[in-house]
Amino acid sequence: MWIVQDFVAMFLYFVVNVIGYTVARLILPVVSLGRIRVAAYGCDEGESGWLGGRRDGFGRLELGAGVASGIGLVIRALYLAAVLWFVG
């Protein structure tokens, strides 16, 4: 039973931290015209505010990896819903 539990945990880790983070890292700078960027994955998030964002030296908003992963998953879900709406 622990094998299934570990598989589900690895799958969820992959979906949230790899797919969500990658989508956010690619899409957010394009949509915001460079005003929002995503911090590197191993970056220290202790300096971030309570919403996971902070300003960098150029005045841009820099989101932490956790917040960016959630936003990336929402973007991905909206994209898939739009595709299913127009295909179906």
Side-chain angles (χ1 to χ4, degrees), residues 38-88:
V38 178
Y41 194 74
C43 184
D44 182 32
E45 293 185 16
E47 300 173 2
S48 299
W50 63 279
L51 287 176
R54 64 180 175 198
R55 296 280 177 187
D56 64 358
F58 298 107
R60 296 180 295 199
L61 180 64
E62 185 177 66
L63 295 177
V67 174
S69 296
I71 292 172
L73 285 178
V74 170
I75 292 171
R76 179 75 174 184
L78 291 174
Y79 172 76
L80 289 175
V83 167
L84 290 175
W85 176 266
F86 289 112
V87 170

Side-chain angles (χ1 to χ4, degrees), residues 3-54:
I3 295 174
V4 174
Q5 225 173 6
D6 286 345
F7 178 74
V8 170
M10 287 189 318
F11 178 73
L12 289 176
Y13 175 82
F14 177 78
V15 167
V16 172
N17 292 326
V18 175
I19 294 177
Y21 178 75
T22 304
V23 168
R25 188 141 178 119
L26 294 174
I27 298 297
L28 283 177
V30 173
V31 171
S32 69
L33 301 173
R35 292 185 177 177
I36 299 175
R37 55 173 262 183
V38 178
Y41 194 74
C43 184
D44 182 32
E45 293 185 16
E47 300 173 2
S48 299
W50 63 279
L51 287 176
R54 64 180 175 198

